[in-house]
Amino acid sequence: MSVNFGYTISLPRAVDLDRNDFSVALRVLRRLPELESCIGCGGCTATCTAGAFTEFNFRRVQTLVRRGEYGGAYREMNKCMLCGKCRLVCPRGINTRAVVMTIKRELGTGY
Amino acid sequence: MKNHKVIVVGGGAAGLQAAATLKELGVEPLIIEREMQTGGKVRRWHRLFPDFTSASEVLATLEKNAEGIETLCGVMVDSIDATGVTLAGGRHIKADAMVVATGFDLFRAELKEEYGYGIYDNVYTSADIEDMLNGDGVRLKDGSAPGRVAFLHCVGSRDEKVGQPHCSRLCCITAVKQAMELRESFPDAEIYNYYMDIRMFGAGYEEMYRSAQEDGEVRFVRGRISEASPTIDGRVQIKAEDTLLGRPVKMTVDMLVLAVGMTAAESNGRLGVGLQSGGFIAPRDLFTGAVYSPDAENIFYAGCATAPKNIGETLNEATAAAVKAAEFLLEK
């Protein structure tokens, strides 16, 4: 019989680049190599129609996916309405709508 | 060497310095300048980073050193080859060597339509701010003092959308310098700088950035402004992401200043010398051949014709190009 002393073990918060599985990220980047050129300026998130009213942050979610952090990414990307304003402002010319669709396709609804 | 003639194309900082050096070395330079006056972009600037040296002081020294040098103003060079230069209109001037010091163009901010330059009131470029500083001081359209100002870095730099993939290097420090000049004029104003990356590459630049943060109370927000729109009372509303918070920000300012980048001079395309992909002139190589042309052994390059440079780098390169041109003539 186990006794609950009220202690729990906290999982480490660090993005673990030793252990993360990059297979999905690599598949996304193979299709859209220009995504690697993101400089994180936040123009996409600033202009985002969905992000104006929800927590959706395109810059953050796609960066997490590139780091192998997929948890919740499909659900987040589903908030995108594909309006394309982010693509207009991106200084790197990244096809941001294709990024949304590719991440969703590669991850599947499980995330 | 007195009979040798070197044509210096462009009478800005690089051209004046190259011509003065050639003269010192006993060569006869001829400056050809497209504007009605030499001095180039430096003439438009008020004070210079990182120590607020007066631009006119620097220009006066350059002009004094170039005193007495034959100069054609208001004359456009059309093309250059090993025999000399051809002017717009077809006249050919023979020369033994050429120093190309054609400089750069300022990025035309109206191409970034989303910032409303030339459409909304109270959206200015960094060059407009210099004009105002040289005139009656910085004022809003209605003549009043700004209470809240935002600077935006990287307008026409690092931007594929307008064909300017390069970093212009100097806009970061210029925006910081101008933020401090506005602080000096308007002690109570709120001043924000929106940036993607802060690139402080020169001696004294990082110190000036820190001083803007600490003494100037300039607030730096890491995020690129995505769009600006006018408000009903003539102010400008801007949107960005504060990328360090991961949240969108919006704010209304009295004045939006666009730190415009340095683009390749439009005239480069006509000159007939090899260009780099961004339109700047291609030197022989970036290390030991920066002042040499790969196209002809008597063509030399100086200053921003080949890449964005600050004034110090430009003057050093102009000196080097002039020395190499004189050496070439001596060996001939």
Side-chain angles (χ1 to χ4, degrees):
Chain A
M1 202 179 80
S2 65
V3 182
N4 184 352
F5 291 99
Y7 298 112
T8 55
I9 293 173
S10 301
L11 293 169
R13 277 192 74 245
V15 173
D16 190 341
L17 297 180
D18 293 331
R19 291 187 176 189
N20 276 7
D21 166 21
F22 291 98
S23 58
V24 175
L26 290 172
R27 283 207 298 278
V28 170
L29 288 170
R30 207 169 300 136
R31 281 179 181 275
L32 298 158
E34 81 256 31
L35 183 59
E36 200 82 273
S37 75
C38 171
I39 36 182
C41 71
C44 46
T45 301
T47 200
C48 180
T49 318
F53 299 105
T54 71
E55 294 274 299
F56 179 50
N57 183 328
F58 175 77
R59 177 191 55 78
R60 188 165 178 275
V61 176
Q62 59 87 3
T63 308
L64 283 168
V65 168
R66 283 190 288 136
R67 302 281 186 268
E69 295 281 316
Y70 308 127
Y74 182 93
R75 253 178 298 123
E76 282 300 310
M77 285 304 192
N78 237 2
K79 294 175 182 167
C80 168
M81 299 185 277
L82 298 174
C83 74
K85 280 175 76 184
C86 46
R87 194 179 175 187
L88 292 177
V89 300
C90 176
R92 293 299 213 196
I94 295 168
N95 184 349
T96 45
R97 283 197 291 194
V99 171
V100 171
M101 295 311 288
T102 308
I103 286 175
K104 279 166 67 174
R105 186 166 51 229
E106 295 296 343
L107 276 178
T109 52
Y111 287 88
Chain B
M1 285 216 296
K2 202 70 192 167
N3 319 324
H4 287 302
K5 192 165 176 180
V6 178
I7 291 180
V8 178
V9 184
L16 290 170
Q17 174 77 7
T21 309
L22 285 163
K23 195 179 115 182
E24 260 179 57
L25 296 168
V27 182
E28 189 191 332
L30 164 68
I31 301 173
I32 303 180
E33 166 60 44
R34 68 175 167 186
E35 303 295 334
M36 296 313 292
Q37 205 176 8
T38 56
K41 303 285 191 300
V42 180
R43 188 174 293 288
R44 192 170 176 183
W45 246 243
H46 179 58
R47 287 188 293 174
L48 306 173
F49 53 77
D51 62 357
F52 300 110
T53 299
S54 152
S56 58
E57 216 172 274
V58 173
L59 192 55
T61 306
L62 292 173
E63 286 185 318
K64 188 168 160 285
N65 294 342
E67 222 165 40
I69 291 173
E70 194 185 350
T71 306
L72 293 177
C73 278
V75 175
M76 189 83 187
V77 168
D78 193 61
S79 61
I80 298 167
D81 59 42
T83 65
V85 306
T86 306
L87 305 182
R91 188 179 151 213
H92 185 80
I93 305 179
K94 276 171 85 164
D96 300 302
M98 271 73 59
V99 175
V100 179
T102 46
F104 64 97
D105 289 345
L106 280 170
F107 176 73
R108 289 193 292 124
E110 51 270 42
L111 294 177
K112 294 295 292 175
E113 277 181 325
E114 58 266 45
Y115 302 138
Y117 181 70
I119 305 171
Y120 318 145
D121 289 340
N122 298 317
V123 179
Y124 298 101
T125 66
S126 38
D128 296 334
I129 295 296
E130 295 296 328
D131 289 341
M132 289 196 259
L133 290 167
N134 274 327
D136 302 333
V138 176
R139 286 288 178 273
L140 298 175
K141 177 90 187 307
D142 66 6
S144 62
R148 206 178 205 203
V149 182
F151 285 86
L152 171 59
H153 295 216
C154 296
V155 177
S157 293
R158 309 177 71 199
D159 190 344
E160 308 278 338
K161 290 286 164 58
V162 287
Q164 304 295 331
H166 64 278
C167 166
S168 298
R169 301 169 77 225
L170 309 181
C171 342
C172 274
I173 182 69
T174 300
V176 167
K177 182 209 72 147
Q178 292 187 344
M180 292 185 76
E181 285 172 313
L182 260 56
R183 166 61 67 233
E184 198 178 294
S185 307
F186 312 111
D188 300 325
E190 284 179 67
I191 303 173
Y192 286 80
N193 278 40
Y194 284 83
Y195 67 95
M196 305 202 284
D197 292 296
I198 293 271
R199 296 186 166 176
M200 293 290 159
F201 68 96
Y205 293 10
E206 185 67 24
E207 289 81 349
M208 190 181 221
Y209 172 31
R210 184 163 179 171
S211 157
Q213 292 175 302
E214 288 182 351
D215 315 323
E217 289 173 50
V218 177
R219 291 168 196 157
F220 287 83
V221 181
R222 195 193 172 282
R224 180 187 179 86
I225 295 174
S226 66
E227 62 210 271
S229 40
T231 62
I232 199 154
D233 54 351
R235 302 174 81 210
V236 184
Q237 193 192 64
I238 55 179
K239 285 165 73 176
E241 184 198 358
D242 187 327
T243 58
L244 302 181
L245 299 179
R247 278 176 61 187
V249 291
K250 67 168 186 156
M251 75 182 293
T252 308
V253 294
D254 299 320
M255 178 183 268
L256 172 63
V257 183
L258 308 174
V260 285
M262 299 160 88
T263 72
E266 211 187 327
S267 56
N268 286 352
R270 288 195 302 276
L271 289 180
V273 295
L275 304 182
Q276 305 170 54
S277 62
F280 288 95
I281 294 174
R284 201 180 68 194
D285 67 64
L286 297 174
F287 305 98
T288 58
V291 302
Y292 297 105
S293 168
D295 305 310
E297 57 174 4
N298 62 345
I299 299 180
F300 300 87
Y301 299 143
C304 295
T306 53
K309 295 182 187 88
N310 67 20
I311 296 174
E313 292 167 335
T314 294
L315 297 183
N316 288 343
E317 202 172 71
T319 306
V323 168
K324 290 301 169 190
E327 260 177 29
F328 166 78
L329 295 174
L330 199 64
E331 287 164 10
K332 216 169 80 157

